[in-house]
């Protein structure tokens, strides 16, 4: 296998966005158990971010990992969300805050967090690219990359503008592989074209693929009644080439044990298993979802500023996966990046712009009834 950054890192990473909680605080004792078990099985990559759990994730990293294990025994990644800062100084301060919270001394992998859409501009305006290059020159960052939830053409544009970037973190899973809104396959192909190794996030699609729709679940049971649904998703992602690791946001010791069982004996999907995945993809694509392709033609002329594609993404989480907590969580993100669906005044400009001829006004009413209660 050709050498590349991350080639020798084990292909299961511990995503620290969904840590076990006791009311509003991290369940630090269970987190310690999970960290210890993860390391005992030979896995070494931990992923957090400045904003995860309001900073409690980075603090938990210090208590459960950094203070208890040799620094050279693991890789730590965190991220800087410049788009959530009001000023350049505030954005740059996030780096030193993360260093202080984690007590890590340096970051093995450091990411500009969630580029794409209107967010990329903040990293440019606040001179974050140059700032982080300076931190790398000081030895405070070993490897610099970015995460992105956007289309392949946007990924290609950023990588063309910033060839110095060493890796990218992308949402890749079998449900989104051919998705016109997520473009997992196309984004992966862009990363490969630019010869950038990939950290995979959301391989189980926020937990949705651990509890897939009934038809998909039955398909997997028939193919292998002993395998967990999450294991199919994890193995699909880990079977790709050029990976640094595959992140799994584990919330319980049981989830950790299931993922370890999958990856300790990891084998890439064989031909028969790939055929099962293809059938699962077809079943998901046939689900009664809103056929939004995230082209965003509807957004600029909306007088209320509703981020219609994000609202529809939240709706599809319910329609396809019947996961209401996740749907409402996604809807909260949509409302934070635009007006609520209930703000619609039925002017019809969105429907005139929609190339998919979606009855947007009716769908926004449906979103209001389902997700705003």
């Amino acid at each position: 296998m050709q050498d590349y950054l991350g080639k020798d890192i084990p292909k299961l990473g511990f995503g620290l966005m969904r840590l076990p909680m006791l009311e509003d605080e991290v369940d630090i004792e269970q987190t310690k158990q999970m960290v210890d078990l993860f390391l005992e099985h030979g896995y070494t990559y931990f992923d957090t971010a400045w904003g995860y759990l309001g900073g409690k994730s980075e603090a938990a990293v210090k208590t459960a990992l950094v203070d208890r294990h040799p620094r050279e025994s693991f890789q730590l990644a965190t991220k800087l969300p410049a788009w959530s800062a009001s000023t350049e100084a505030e954005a740059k301060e996030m780096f030193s805050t993360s260093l202080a919270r984690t007590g890590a001394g340096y970051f093995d992998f450091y990411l500009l967090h969630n580029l794409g859409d209107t967010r990329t501009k903040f990293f440019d305006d606040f001179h974050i690219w140059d700032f982080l290059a300076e931190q790398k020159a000081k030895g405070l960052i070993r490897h610099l990359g970015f995460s992105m939830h956007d289309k392949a053409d946007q990924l290609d544009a950023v990588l063309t503008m910033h060839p110095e970037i060493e890796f990218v973190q992308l949402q890749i899973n079998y449900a989104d592989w051919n998705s016109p809104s997520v473009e997992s396959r196309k984004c992966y192909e862009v990363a490969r074209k630019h010869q950038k190794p990939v950290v995979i996030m959301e391989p189980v699609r926020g937990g949705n693929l651990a509890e897939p729709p009934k038809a998909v679940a039955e398909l997997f049971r028939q193919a292998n009644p002993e395998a967990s649904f999450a294991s199919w998703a994890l193995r699909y992602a880990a079977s790709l080439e050029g990976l640094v690791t595959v992140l799994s946001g584990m919330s319980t010791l049981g989830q950790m044990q299931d993922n370890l069982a999958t990856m300790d004996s990891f084998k890439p999907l064989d031909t028969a298993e790939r055929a099962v995945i293809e059938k699962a993809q077809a079943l998901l694509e046939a689900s009664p979802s809103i056929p939004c392709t995230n082209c965003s033609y509807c957004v600029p002329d909306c007088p209320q500023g509703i981020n219609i594609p994000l609202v529809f993404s939240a709706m599809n989480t319910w329609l396809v996966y019947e996961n209401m907590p996740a749907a409402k969580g996604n809807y909260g993100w949509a409302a934070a990046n635009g007006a609520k669906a209930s703000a619609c005044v039925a002017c019809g400009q969105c429907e005139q712009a929609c190339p998919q001829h979606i009855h947007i006004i009716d769908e926004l009413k449906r979103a209001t009834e389902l997700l705003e209660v």
Side-chain angles (χ1 to χ4, degrees), residues 44-81:
T44 58
Y45 193 103
F46 294 82
D47 172 89
T48 184
W50 178 88
Y52 285 177
L53 303 176
K56 294 176 182 177
S57 176
E58 287 189 334
V61 166
K62 184 177 190 303
T63 304
L65 175 65
V66 175
D67 289 349
R68 300 173 59 248
H69 294 278
R71 182 62 185 87
E72 66 277 8
S73 67
F74 59 87
Q75 297 89 34
L76 180 61
T78 194
K79 313 177 191 74
L80 187 157

Side-chain angles (χ1 to χ4, degrees), residues 20-338:
M21 304 293 290
L22 291 173
E23 295 183 355
D24 294 330
E25 298 299 325
V26 174
D27 182 348
I28 201 67
E29 293 307 315
Q30 185 174 182
T31 301
K32 287 178 180 178
Q33 292 179 44
M34 294 168 72
V35 164
D36 293 351
L37 187 61
F38 188 74
L39 289 169
E40 286 170 11
H41 280 250
Y43 301 97
T44 58
Y45 193 103
F46 294 82
D47 172 89
T48 184
W50 178 88
Y52 285 177
L53 303 176
K56 294 176 182 177
S57 176
E58 287 189 334
V61 166
K62 184 177 190 303
T63 304
L65 175 65
V66 175
D67 289 349
R68 300 173 59 248
H69 294 278
R71 182 62 185 87
E72 66 277 8
S73 67
F74 59 87
Q75 297 89 34
L76 180 61
T78 194
K79 313 177 191 74
L80 187 157
W83 37 267
S84 70
S86 301
T87 66
E88 181 172 332
E90 182 183 342
K92 291 178 177 179
E93 184 64 24
M94 291 174 176
F95 180 80
S96 56
T97 297
S98 291
L99 271 179
R101 281 178 183 161
T102 61
Y106 63 90
F107 295 112
D108 302 272
F109 291 80
Y110 197 82
L111 299 91
L112 293 79
H113 193 181
N114 197 11
L115 272 66
D117 196 28
T118 59
R119 296 178 297 279
T120 302
K121 186 175 185 293
F122 288 90
F123 296 94
D124 298 334
D125 292 350
F126 292 161
H127 307 103
I128 300 301
W129 302 95
D130 292 338
F131 170 71
L132 293 181
E134 293 168 3
Q135 308 314 306
K136 185 180 177 187
K138 295 175 184 176
L140 299 177
I141 295 171
R142 297 289 172 85
H143 303 291
L144 184 61
F146 64 82
S147 64
M148 176 177 275
H149 292 274
D150 208 333
K151 297 292 190 68
D153 61 343
Q154 295 300 310
L155 176 63
D156 190 45
V158 176
L159 287 176
T160 299
M161 185 69 69
H162 293 281
E164 75 277 10
I165 287 299
E166 297 175 85
F167 69 100
V168 294
Q169 185 163 311
L170 303 172
Q171 177 172 325
I172 296 177
N173 55 69
Y174 69 77
D176 290 324
W177 187 245
N178 296 312
S179 165
S181 58
V182 180
E183 294 190 346
S184 280
R185 176 182 59 80
K186 290 182 179 180
C187 286
Y188 172 73
E189 290 171 350
V190 166
R192 297 289 286 169
K193 180 185 77 172
H194 286 270
Q195 298 182 318
K196 304 299 182 184
V198 176
V199 175
I200 289 181
M201 58 182 162
E202 302 291 357
V204 194
R205 210 177 190 277
N208 286 318
L209 301 182
E211 297 181 14
K214 294 178 181 178
V216 175
E218 184 57 30
L219 175 69
F220 287 144
R221 286 195 191 99
Q222 290 179 1
N224 185 348
E226 303 301 320
S228 70
F229 303 135
S231 71
W232 284 93
L234 205 57
R235 289 181 61 218
Y236 178 85
S239 295
L240 294 171
E241 296 182 348
L243 303 184
V244 177
T245 197
V246 178
L247 301 176
S248 180
M250 295 171 272
S251 303
T252 68
L253 194 58
Q255 291 174 1
M256 171 70 74
Q257 290 167 334
D258 181 62
N259 285 347
L260 293 175
T262 298
M263 296 305 291
D264 283 353
S265 57
F266 172 72
K267 292 181 181 178
L269 295 174
D270 62 27
T271 302
E273 289 170 325
R274 289 187 177 280
V276 173
I277 290 286
E278 289 175 2
K279 290 179 182 178
Q281 290 170 322
L283 288 170
L284 291 174
E285 290 167 5
S287 299
S289 60
I290 301 171
C292 174
T293 64
N294 196 29
C295 70
S296 296
Y297 293 165
C298 58
V299 173
D301 294 326
C302 176
Q304 301 300 95
I306 303 169
N307 194 319
I308 296 167
L310 286 183
V311 171
F312 287 172
S313 176
M315 279 291 292
N316 283 338
T317 299
W318 166 246
L319 293 172
V320 176
Y321 300 100
E322 299 182 355
N323 187 336
M324 185 56 77
K328 288 192 173 184
N330 292 344
Y331 183 72
W333 174 252
N337 287 271

